[in-house]
Amino acid sequence: MPPLDYRTAFDLAPIGLVLSRNRLMVDCNRRVLEMFGAEREQLVGRSFEVLYPTHEEFERTGERIVASLDRDGWYADDRVMKRVDGPRRGELFWCHVSGRALDPARPHAAGIWAFEDLSSRRVLKVEFTAREREIAALLIEGLTSKLIGKKLAISPRTVDVYRARLMRKVGAATTPELVQKLLSA
């Protein structure tokens, strides 16, 4: 049995953990490697961008994190991420991400992030655009069009247009039905 120390606890934690500096992954545990189907060399020293479906989603999420940190530097959301390698390479999946910027005044300077794969409870069966994925995640959180618009720096009317597209794609007649289908989609 390995000695019980901080490194062992980090490596064997039941959730994915990443230490970051300036949006680069400086260390990660085994669970992250398993979740993203990656080898250490494919993540450590690389930008978090490799875990996102698109460059735009990486950029917008970074902006949203900066705008949404609480005063202690905490942030959490559900988002769609991308597997890096292995038999499921390129597969998109729902992931709960939470973390803390060590200095809230410099959110991307250094942080620790936890990743939980939600794919066993929430499977992506429908093709969504990057913006649709963002809006779907915020609808699941229960946000209104006004709050989503504020978070994404778009008008509430634009949010409504995307909500209508999502409803058509999943065959939902109401917002509660849409959320229910997104949770099981």
Side-chain angles (χ1 to χ4, degrees), residues 1-13:
M1 178 173 357
L4 188 55
D5 58 24
Y6 289 107
R7 183 68 212 188
T8 303
F10 178 80
D11 279 335
L12 300 178

Side-chain angles (χ1 to χ4, degrees), residues 124-164:
L124 277 169
K125 295 178 187 168
V126 180
E127 283 277 327
F128 294 136
T129 66
R131 185 61 91 183
E132 288 170 344
R133 286 191 290 268
E134 288 178 311
I135 290 172
L138 296 170
L139 286 169
I140 288 168
E141 288 181 29
L143 272 62
T144 63
S145 292
K146 186 175 181 179
L147 290 173
I148 292 170
K150 188 174 182 177
K151 256 189 187 247
L152 300 179
I154 59 177
S155 77
R157 178 68 188 123
T158 301
V159 173
D160 290 338
V161 169
Y162 278 100
R163 179 196 319 260

Side-chain angles (χ1 to χ4, degrees), residues 74-138:
W74 293 96
Y75 180 83
D77 70 13
D78 289 353
R79 66 180 76 140
V80 175
M81 303 294 288
K82 177 181 75 177
R83 303 209 197 272
V84 174
D85 209 350
R88 295 167 27 180
R89 178 188 177 128
E91 177 184 86
L92 302 182
F93 68 101
W94 281 103
C95 189
H96 178 74
V97 181
S98 59
R100 182 164 190 247
L102 301 184
D103 178 359
R106 296 176 37 224
H108 294 306
I112 183 162
W113 298 93
F115 294 82
E116 180 186 0
D117 185 342
L118 301 176
S119 61
S120 66
R121 298 187 302 259
R122 195 184 302 170
V123 178
L124 277 169
K125 295 178 187 168
V126 180
E127 283 277 327
F128 294 136
T129 66
R131 185 61 91 183
E132 288 170 344
R133 286 191 290 268
E134 288 178 311
I135 290 172
L138 296 170

Side-chain angles (χ1 to χ4, degrees), residues 47-62:
S47 166
F48 278 106
E49 185 174 351
V50 301
L51 306 179
Y52 285 82
T54 66
H55 172 75
E56 292 75 23
E57 286 170 277
F58 167 72
E59 291 296 333
R60 283 197 299 256
T61 301

